[in-house]
Every structure is written in structure tokens, then in C-alpha cells.
């Protein structure tokens, strides 16, 4: 049985763990903006992390940014540390949902997941690391199911727009959708854009350990998905996309892995027809292409060796041409940035038998939103939590480790995101 109610012993709907981190501070602000959307118009929440003074400082900052002085006194502070299991257990016992903002998750994520599963708190993260996400599914799904706990990974920009975007495209298509390709483009304003180096660190360690992911996947012993009537052709490692009119390459993040896991869940649990998915990202014109090739060659060489990884971690701005930085983006840079996913789907219209011939129908949808890392990600994460709190009857009827699409397919999460600036539309 899954529970989403507060009680005298579990007083908080939401506890933000890692609230004083770079992303955590923006999650704090987003929760503060949306308290009226909690159950019965109320949301009880707290912040948690290692350092009480830093947590108080984040609340002070949010109070100033949002002109909500009550944040200084009305939001409780919990001291908890990933290296101290008892402190994590105490935190999880007090929360209905833990929003875990502490990464890289491959180093710091599992103790929090374990504490949530053992102490009855649902867990939401914003991880883009397939090895962690799939490892948690392998190791904790059955225990989470037994304990009625939802462990829902990748609930930020990785990978709610992609995962829910594929489901949205499927639901809008009149017939049986067979394939979807997504093309991500990111825009910045006059102040430019950059990404905090926590994401860079996750990428460095993820590529270094990529060989371990294959052996992890073999442990699931998955049966093959039903064969598709028409197979999706994979694009080359670098190509010019006529769809978005720029050079593109396969998207290296967690989206393909997350979408495939969602499709497998929908086949196994609901006997749906799986949608094949290809994810790509636009990189712009020839100058960006040359720059990326140079960065890519250096990255691939250095990531193989420990001294190289240390260099990449120590000097993110140098090795990424300023795309990643230890300081992260300014608020002005965030205000000027946005993203767009264009989804191109093909399938069989209602009149056509999928077993006969090639797909005869097409659909194009968009998911558009504000700056992806620190504006869209907090929105997606917080709306995922509010969906659990308000729509538990539309969620899976038992606990477990889920992707966003598996967890939220039957909820109004997309409508909630639309109201908060992450827009889903048919073109």
C-alpha cells in the first residue's frame, strides 16, 4: 500500500535534501512558489543538508528573491549527511517525499535511496546517469514495492521533457505510433549560457565507467521487446539535420535509456505497443562543429586515464570552452536561456493495419521551456512531487523504482507542466 499523507511522526510533505547546493537553491525557490498547490492548498516542507548555516543562508536568499520573509522562520532545517546513515534515516522518517539534489549520484545517491526505501519516504531525483538509475532499479525495485515506496529517477530536464514528450506524442497520434525521433536545441541570450560543473563531473565519470553499464544491463535478463513492424533507422554519429537545419549528433544523456525503460514498463504492465526512440541534439553551424570535435577528441582521450579525469574535473571551463564552470550560470544568463525538443513521430493511422506495409501517418510535437538546468529542472522536479501528493490514485498501484513515464503516464503531470512554463504542443 502506497501512502502520501503527512502524520504527527511524518510532518513534511517534502524535504529537499542538498538544498544548499547549486541546483538545490533553485529547487527551494520553486517549492516556495508552489506551496498553494499542495494537498488541500497547503504544503509542509523542510530543507536538509550537512551544514545548518548554509541551509539557513539559502532560506534567507529565497526569502529575498521571492519577497517571502516568512521563509526565514516557517521552514524547518534538518541536518543530514550521506556519510551518516542514521541522519539519513531520521530525515526520511519525517518526509513523505525526499527531493534528492545531491550529485554526482553515482557517489552520493545510493545511501539516500536506501534510507528512503527502508524508512517509507518516496524519493525523487534529477539524475542523468543511466548507470545509477538502472542500478537502483536492479537493487531496490522489489524492496521498494514491498514497502510501498516510489523511487522515481531523472525527474529534471533529464528526462521528463523527453520521456513525457514521447508519451504525449503517442497520445496525440490517431493510431499506433511506431517511431519517434527528438531533436533538442538550446538558445541563450546576450549574456550567454553555462552549466554548473556538477553536470560535467557526472559526464566525466559516466563515460569513464560506460563499460560497466552493459554488464549491469545483462543482469536484468530482459525478454526482447515485441519486434517492430518497421524498424527505426539509426542516424550517423554526426549529420546535418534537415528537421532543425543544423548539424546534429546523438544525445549522450540519459533520455534514450529512460525512454526505453518506460516503453518496456508499458509493454510488460499494460501490454502497450512500444515506441522506438532516437534522441539527437543540434549543435549549430560549422564553427560550433569544429569546436565540439576538438573538445570531444580531448575529452575521449583524457577520460580514459585517472590523471586525465582529474584534469577534466579541475578545469571544466578550459576543456569545455566555457560551457561548464564551477560558478555556474548567473541569474541573468538563466533568464535569457531556453530549450526546445522537436519530436517527429511516424506510425499507422487508425485505418491501417500495423502488420501491413510501412507507416502511413506522421506527427510533430514540441516541448519548449525555460533554461534547462536550473529553471526547468526545479519546475519538473517539484511538479513531479506535487503530482504524487495530489494524484496518488493515478500512480502505479504499488511501489517500486520507476521512470517518470512509468510513474506519471496516467496523471495530469503534463497539464501541470504546461501551467508552469514547460509547454507541450502539437505542431
Amino acid at each position: 500500500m502506497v501512502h502520501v499523507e503527512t502524520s504527527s511522526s511524518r510532518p513534511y510533505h517534502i524535504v529537499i535534501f542538498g538544498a544548499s547546493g547549486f541546483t538545490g537553491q533553485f529547487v527551494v525557490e520553486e517549492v516556495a512558489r508552489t506551496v498553494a498547490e499542495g494537498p488541500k492548498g497547503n504544503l509542509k516542507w523542510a530543507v536538509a543538508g550537512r551544514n545548518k548555516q548554509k541551509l539557513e543562508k539559502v532560506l534567507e536568499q529565497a526569502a529575498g528573491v521571492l519577497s517571502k520573509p516568512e521563509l526565514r522562520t516557517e521552514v524547518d532545517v534538518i541536518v543530514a549527511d550521506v556519510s551518516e546513515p542514521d541522519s539519513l534515516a531520521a530525515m526520511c522518517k519525517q518526509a513523505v517525499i525526499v527531493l534528492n539534489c545531491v550529485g554526482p549520484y553515482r557517489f552520493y545517491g545510493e545511501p539516500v535511496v536506501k534510507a528512503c526505501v527502508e524508512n517509507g519516504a518516496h524519493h525523487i531525483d534529477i539524475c542523468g546517469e543511466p548507470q545509477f538509475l538502472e542500478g537502483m532499479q536492479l537493487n531496490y525495485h522489489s524492496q521498494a514495492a514491498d514497502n510501498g515506496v516510489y523511487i522515481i529517477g531523472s525527474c529534471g530536464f533529464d528526462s521528463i521533457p523527453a520521456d513525457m514528450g514521447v508519451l504525449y506524442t503517442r497520445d496525440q497520434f490517431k493510431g499506433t505510433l511506431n517511431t519517434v525521433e527528438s531533436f533538442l536545441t538550446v538558445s541563450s541570450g546576450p549574456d550567454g549560457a553555462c552549466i554548473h560543473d556538477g553536470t560535467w563531473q557526472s559526464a566525466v565519470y559516466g563515460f569513464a565507467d560506460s563499460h560497466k553499464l552493459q554488464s549491469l544491463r545483462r543482469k536484468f535478463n530482459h525478454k526482447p521487446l515485441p519486434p517492430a513492424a518497421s524498424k527505426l533507422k539509426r542516424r550517423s554519429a554526426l549529420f546535418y539535420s534537415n528537421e532543425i537545419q543544423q548539424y546534429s549528433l546523438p544525445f549522450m544523456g540519459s533520455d534514450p535509456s529512460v525512454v526505453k525503460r518506460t516503453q518496456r514498463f508499458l509493454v510488460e504492465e499494460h501490454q502497450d505497443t512500444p515506441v522506438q526512440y532516437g534522441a539527437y541534439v543540434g549543435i549549430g553551424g560549422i564553427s560550433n562543429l569544429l569546436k565540439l570535435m576538438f573538445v570531444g577528441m580531448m575529452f575521449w582521450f583524457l577520460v580514459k586515464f585517472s590523471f586525465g579525469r582529474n584534469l577534466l574535473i579541475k578545469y571544466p571551463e578550459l576543456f569545455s570552452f566555457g560551457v561548464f564552470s564551477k560558478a555556474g550560470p548567473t541569474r541573468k544568463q538563466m533568464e535569457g536561456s531556453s530549450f526546445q525538443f522537436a519530436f517527429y513521430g511516424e506510425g499507422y493511422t487508425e485505418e491501417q493495419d500495423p502488420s501491413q506495409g510501412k507507416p502511413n501517418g506522421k506527427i510533430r510535437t514540441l516541448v519548449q521551456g525555460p533554461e534547462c538546468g536550473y529553471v526547468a529542472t526545479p519546475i519538473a522536479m517539484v511538479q513531479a512531487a506535487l503530482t504524487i501528493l495530489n494524484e496518488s490514485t493515478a500512480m502505479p498501484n504499488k511501489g517500486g523504482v520507476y521512470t517518470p513515464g512509468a510513474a506519471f503516464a496516467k496523471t495530469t503531470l503534463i497539464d501541470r507542466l504546461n501551467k508552469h512554463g514547460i509547454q507541450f504542443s502539437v505542431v
Side-chain angles (χ1 to χ4, degrees):
M1 185 69 185
V2 176
H3 295 285
V4 296
E5 302 83 21
T6 55
S7 65
S8 56
S9 61
R10 198 179 292 275
Y12 307 113
H13 292 109
I14 288 172
V15 171
I16 306 166
F17 181 55
S20 59
F22 191 81
T23 308
Q25 64 183 319
F26 299 111
V27 175
V28 168
E29 291 175 18
E30 190 58 29
V31 169
R33 285 188 194 98
T34 54
V35 286
E37 296 173 40
K40 298 176 184 171
N42 183 36
L43 193 71
K44 296 169 186 166
W45 61 292
V47 295
R50 287 180 301 176
N51 187 304
K52 188 169 186 282
Q53 286 72 34
K54 285 184 179 177
L55 293 166
E56 288 169 346
K57 191 176 175 185
V58 162
L59 291 172
E60 178 79 32
Q61 175 181 291
V65 169
L66 302 174
S67 300
K68 287 178 176 272
E70 66 274 15
L71 296 178
R72 297 183 180 98
T73 53
E74 291 181 6
V75 180
D76 290 340
V77 171
I78 300 169
V79 176
D81 190 328
V82 288
S83 64
E84 296 172 7
D86 289 348
S87 71
L88 293 180
M91 172 184 76
C92 293
K93 283 187 171 94
Q94 298 177 73
V96 175
I97 304 173
V98 171
L99 300 188
N100 184 7
C101 303
V102 179
Y105 291 91
R106 69 177 55 245
F107 299 133
Y108 307 117
E110 185 168 358
V112 188
V113 170
K114 185 173 187 287
C116 283
V117 170
E118 291 176 352
N119 295 283
H122 308 300
H123 176 279
I124 289 177
D125 67 48
I126 45 176
C127 178
E129 306 163 45
Q131 189 180 333
F132 172 80
L133 295 164
E134 295 178 40
M136 294 306 97
Q137 183 180 352
L138 184 71
N139 296 330
Y140 291 96
H141 180 74
S142 59
Q143 191 183 353
D146 291 343
N147 293 357
V149 169
Y150 295 131
I151 304 295
I152 309 174
S154 52
C155 285
F157 179 73
D158 295 313
S159 292
I160 277 183
D163 203 17
M164 300 307 293
V166 170
L167 295 187
Y168 175 80
T169 306
R170 180 200 68 176
D171 292 345
Q172 296 299 315
F173 185 74
K174 293 177 172 60
T176 303
L177 191 64
N178 183 55
T179 64
V180 172
E181 291 183 306
S182 69
F183 294 86
L184 167 64
T185 50
V186 177
S187 304
S188 59
D191 293 284
C194 76
I195 305 169
H196 187 257
D197 81 320
T199 304
W200 174 259
Q201 288 179 37
S202 296
V204 169
Y205 294 117
F207 279 106
D209 276 354
S210 56
H211 61 284
K212 294 180 183 173
L213 186 55
Q214 298 311 317
S215 61
L216 171 68
R217 285 174 174 164
R218 283 193 285 272
K219 293 176 184 174
F220 282 98
N221 292 318
H222 284 314
K223 293 175 186 169
L225 289 174
S230 177
K231 199 163 170 58
L232 176 65
K233 288 180 181 164
R234 296 293 169 200
R235 311 248 189 161
S236 59
L238 181 65
F239 62 96
Y240 187 82
S241 165
N242 291 318
E243 290 86 354
I244 56 173
Q245 299 286 301
Q246 54 181 278
Y247 287 100
S248 302
L249 71 167
F251 184 64
M252 301 287 191
S254 59
D255 291 355
S257 152
V258 171
V259 170
K260 189 166 186 178
R261 287 167 58 216
T262 294
Q263 295 303 314
R264 177 174 291 284
F265 171 85
L266 295 173
V267 168
E268 292 175 352
E269 295 295 321
H270 303 295
Q271 292 70 55
D272 288 359
T273 302
V275 177
Q276 302 168 80
Y277 177 60
Y280 304 97
V281 58
I283 55 173
I286 197 78
S287 63
N288 283 359
L289 172 62
L290 293 171
K291 203 183 288 184
L292 187 78
M293 287 172 71
F294 181 68
V295 168
M297 284 190 293
M298 275 201 307
F299 189 92
W300 280 110
F301 173 73
L302 291 170
V303 82
K304 294 175 183 176
F305 310 102
S306 61
F307 82 88
R309 291 192 290 275
N310 289 338
L311 283 174
L312 290 169
I313 296 295
K314 195 170 182 181
Y315 304 108
E317 287 178 76
L318 174 66
F319 290 109
S320 69
F321 282 104
V323 173
F324 294 88
S325 83
K326 289 185 181 291
T330 64
R331 287 185 186 261
K332 207 163 183 184
Q333 285 177 319
M334 288 184 233
E335 286 166 13
S337 299
S338 61
F339 76 88
Q340 176 177 288
F341 271 100
F343 295 86
Y344 291 79
E346 292 190 0
Y348 302 90
T349 57
E350 288 162 338
E351 307 82 47
Q352 166 125 359
D353 181 351
S355 64
Q356 304 293 320
K358 292 186 175 180
N360 67 333
K362 293 186 177 182
I363 185 171
R364 185 179 166 218
T365 62
L366 295 176
V367 178
Q368 304 170 88
E371 189 278 335
C372 42
Y374 314 103
V375 183
T377 285
I379 290 169
M381 186 184 214
V382 173
Q383 289 306 314
L386 289 166
T387 302
I388 295 173
L389 292 169
N390 289 300
E391 300 182 49
S392 60
T393 55
M395 299 281 293
N397 57 17
K398 60 182 182 181
V401 179
Y402 294 108
T403 59
F408 300 117
K410 299 184 183 305
T411 70
T412 66
L413 175 60
I414 287 174
D415 295 334
R416 291 172 181 275
L417 294 171
N418 273 323
K419 289 172 186 165
H420 286 270
I422 299 176
Q423 303 284 332
F424 292 67
S425 61
V426 178
V427 180

